[in-house]
Amino acid sequence: HPEAELPPSLPLYFSGYFTFTGGKDRRSGLILTIPLCTEQTSMEELSSTLDYLLGIPSDKCKARGFTVIVDGRKSQWNIVKTVVLMLQNVIPAEVSLVCVVKPDEFWDKKVTHFCFWKEKDRLGFEVILVSANKLTRYIEPCQLTDEFGGSLVYDHMDWVNKRLVFEKFTKESTSLLDELVVINESEKSNQPPDCNFLPSLDPETVLQTGHELLSELQQRRFNGSEGGGVAWSPMDDELLAQPQVMKLLDSLREQYTKYQEVCRQRSKRSQLEEIQTKVMQVVNWLEGPGTEQLRTQWGIGDSIRASQALQQKHEEMESQHSEWFAVYVELNQQIAALLSAGDEEDLVELKGLQQQLSDVCYRQASQLESRQNVLQSAHEFHGTAQDLSQQLDGLLGMLCADVAPTDGAAIQQTLKHLEEKLKSVEGALAGLREKGQVVIDQMSNQTTWSYGKEVPIENKEDIDHIQGVMEDMQLRKQRCEDMVDVRRLKMLQMVQLFKCEEDASQAVEWLGELLDALLKTHIRLGDDAQETKALLEKHKKFVDVAQSTYDYGRQLLQATVVLCQSLRCTTRSSGDTLPRLNRVWKQFTVTSEERVHRLEMACSFHTAAEKVASPEQGDLPVEMEQETYEEVEMVGKTLLDRLTVPVIFPDGSEQYFGSPGDMASSAVHIRDKMKLVEDRKLTLHEEDEDDLCYEPRLEW
């Protein structure tokens, strides 16, 4: 058998020298068959093989004796005799009968030299020489194999293989049982376990081999070749194989169950010790190097760049801690699994380890998170401080730059932008104060673990730095506010300056419009004296409006000069606004005077003409009447001449009242009235001549 190790005594049996075929004699004794061959075999080998075979049957079976069939048909007489004598020396008491199967007519002459039946008393058993065909006289045919003319079926090699498996199982199980007993007893006696002492064989494999062997032994027949014709019937309990296997299996299962419990306890202790070791590694690192890292990394930096560098260092520190936290998570899961399936005596220790590990890890994680929050808040604070500083620099740059706006709208836009900048600075400063207070509060609550207790961390220097930054920003913001107030006042004055200049220009435009209206629309001279007087009154009011406009413009220009002096704007003056204002005013004055002269002349003309045309004209003395006519004619001609003369401005330019048609219409009206006065004069002169002619007639 390839997997079995042959016992030293089995080679002869394996080759077929000795066989238990399972047959029985008529006394129910076992039949031992010894097929001999021509080769010489030592007595020592024969004796040891026989001893091994005789150890297989039970004592009860041995008490019934054995019938030995010595097949000498292929052997020599001296070998047969040697075997018989060997039986005498080894098992004389167990042997009942020895049947020597002789070859036909081969030993006849030599039998006389040694008669076994005569030596019965000396041998201790009966020896008979018998031919193979006569062997059935002593043994039933059904108990003999076919080679002796019987019908008993027997497969020697199959039985040997099964025996080898049995021997192997017996040896391995016995050795394994001894090892398991030693292991279990050492565990039971609380001796220090040798973790390296393990069974030399796999109990599961040995048990499986035993169960397979027992299953085959419990069958009625062993399977032979594929032909199915060869099989072997077991000898009930006589060979003791099945009971021995069952007993070994029971013992092995019992010890293996105990061994499994021992292994479980060992594994539990080993796992518990491993967990204790790992827990202490985690705790020692977190309370040692980890705490030292945190203790030496509590600064916040004085700038955003320094804060970023500290954050990077903190991330590296968190990366180292995360490896130990991963171990903590794994250990916590292992402890939880042990707690759910652990024994009562382990619960207290496991819970203590779990609590210790959790306390240290949570405390360290809390300090890491606190440190991260401080760094994040400090980074935000430095970022806000940097942004605020840049805003203050920009605002200061705006305030220090010269203001050269082109108009009031640009000033208003600049002022609005300035106000927005200041408002943004105020919001940023408020945010800086808020973030600074958060950092101070967080730093004030920082603690570290030292000598088994939390110790506050001294952060006075960093807190003073935060407060100093906030105070510095407040002072810079206050200076900017003061400068903004000054700039606001200056800009408002500039707005007022531009407004005065704009209004002064508007006054010039208004005065020009009044002049234009005077020249183009104030052209009527009136149809009579009353209307002309009304036009004079209206013109005076018109002149008053123009005077007010001129005075308003002068006042605005004077205010412009004062504002320029206040703003120290030496490069800025009223420009051409004042000359334009004076020029337009002078033109308006000349035009207004011309208008007054024409209206006064028209009023004199209409008054004189109305005197001539009035009914009371006849009551006037002749000299006065003549003077009136002459006055009408003279004033009318003068007025007509005046209408044809343009208004000459101080700069030498000329401008006519109205259009030529308008002047022609006024001249026609004056001429018509002068003609009426002339006709009236002629009529009255003719009447006077008639009166002179009538008076002489009366005298006559």
Side-chain angles (χ1 to χ4, degrees), residues 43-62:
M43 288 296 296
E44 184 178 356
E45 290 179 341
L46 291 172
S47 178
S48 62
T49 302
L50 188 58
D51 287 340
Y52 171 76
L53 287 177
L54 292 177
I56 295 176
S58 63
D59 293 337
K60 182 179 179 180
C61 184
K62 292 179 182 180

Side-chain angles (χ1 to χ4, degrees), residues 289-299 310 317 371 448 457:
T291 301
E292 183 64 20
Q293 287 181 358
L294 281 172
R295 190 181 64 82
T296 57
Q297 294 289 333
W298 285 113
L310 289 174
M317 185 167 56
R371 171 63 176 165
T448 185
I457 298 177

Side-chain angles (χ1 to χ4, degrees), residues 527 601-602 604-606 608-610 612-613 628-643 666-683:
D527 295 335
M601 290 177 66
S604 299
F605 171 75
H606 287 304
E610 289 173 358
V612 173
T628 301
Y629 282 116
E630 291 176 357
E631 182 182 357
V632 171
E633 184 178 2
M634 181 186 65
V635 173
K637 289 180 179 181
T638 303
L639 184 57
L640 289 174
D641 294 338
R642 194 95 182 196
L643 291 177
S666 298
V668 169
H669 180 69
I670 293 172
R671 289 191 185 98
D672 290 342
K673 201 162 190 178
M674 288 176 65
K675 188 175 183 300
L676 289 175
V677 172
E678 183 65 26
D679 291 342
R680 175 67 175 168
K681 177 181 177 184
L682 291 175
T683 303

Side-chain angles (χ1 to χ4, degrees), residues 34 36 43 70 77-90 98 100 114 116 123 125 127:
I34 304 177
L36 299 178
M43 288 296 296
V70 179
W77 166 248
N78 57 347
I79 296 176
V80 172
K81 185 174 64 174
T82 301
V83 170
V84 172
L85 294 176
M86 183 267 298
L87 292 174
Q88 177 191 7
N89 296 327
V90 176
V98 176
V100 179
F114 186 84
F116 287 110
L123 293 176
F125 49 81
V127 179

Side-chain angles (χ1 to χ4, degrees), residues 48-212:
S48 62
T49 302
L50 188 58
D51 287 340
Y52 171 76
L53 287 177
L54 292 177
I56 295 176
S58 63
D59 293 337
K60 182 179 179 180
C61 184
K62 292 179 182 180
R64 289 195 293 267
F66 297 101
T67 294
V68 180
I69 299 176
V70 179
D71 188 0
R73 288 174 296 180
K74 297 180 181 180
S75 181
Q76 299 177 1
W77 166 248
N78 57 347
I79 296 176
V80 172
K81 185 174 64 174
T82 301
V83 170
V84 172
L85 294 176
M86 183 267 298
L87 292 174
Q88 177 191 7
N89 296 327
V90 176
I91 49 169
E94 285 83 0
V95 177
S96 299
L97 175 65
V98 176
C99 296
V100 179
V101 180
K102 65 179 180 176
D104 295 338
E105 299 178 357
F106 183 70
W107 290 337
D108 292 343
K109 295 181 179 181
K110 297 181 179 180
V111 170
T112 56
H113 296 286
F114 186 84
C115 295
F116 287 110
W117 63 272
K118 294 181 180 180
E119 301 292 333
K120 179 178 180 181
D121 295 335
R122 187 172 63 86
L123 293 176
F125 49 81
E126 181 181 0
V127 179
I128 60 175
L129 295 177
V130 61
S131 300
N133 55 0
K134 296 180 180 180
L135 192 59
T136 54
R137 295 178 182 179
Y138 305 98
I139 302 172
E140 295 296 331
C142 63
Q143 302 297 322
L144 294 175
T145 60
D146 59 350
E147 59 184 337
F148 298 114
S151 59
L152 180 64
V153 179
Y154 170 69
D155 185 349
H156 180 68
M157 293 307 300
D158 180 71
W159 195 90
V160 168
N161 288 335
K162 298 298 186 298
R163 188 64 193 180
L164 291 176
V165 173
F166 172 78
E167 291 287 346
K168 180 176 182 292
F169 169 73
T170 303
K171 179 181 178 181
E172 291 180 350
S173 60
T174 303
S175 174
L176 181 60
L177 276 173
D178 293 340
E179 293 176 355
L180 292 178
V181 168
V182 172
I183 294 174
N184 295 337
E185 290 299 326
S186 64
E187 188 72 22
K188 185 177 180 181
S189 61
N190 294 325
Q191 295 179 359
D194 185 2
C195 296
N196 295 323
F197 182 34
L198 298 174
S200 59
L201 300 172
D202 180 21
E204 294 287 346
T205 303
V206 176
L207 283 172
Q208 183 179 359
T209 302
H211 284 297
E212 292 175 354

Side-chain angles (χ1 to χ4, degrees), residues 480-541:
C480 287
E481 276 187 344
D482 297 340
M483 295 178 69
V484 166
D485 292 338
V486 175
R487 178 56 61 90
R488 185 187 296 111
L489 178 60
K490 184 176 181 180
M491 285 188 170
L492 290 177
Q493 288 179 343
M494 293 186 71
V495 169
Q496 190 175 5
L497 173 61
F498 279 113
K499 182 64 175 174
C500 290
E501 291 179 348
E502 182 181 353
D503 291 348
S505 298
Q506 186 65 46
V508 173
E509 292 179 5
W510 288 344
L511 197 57
E513 291 174 358
L514 292 174
L515 175 60
D516 189 59
L518 179 60
L519 288 170
K520 293 181 179 180
T521 60
H522 291 215
I523 55 177
R524 285 180 52 81
L525 298 177
D527 295 335
D528 52 29
Q530 184 178 357
E531 185 179 359
T532 301
K533 290 178 181 179
L535 290 174
L536 275 171
E537 291 297 327
K538 184 178 180 181
H539 179 71
K540 288 180 180 180
K541 294 179 180 179

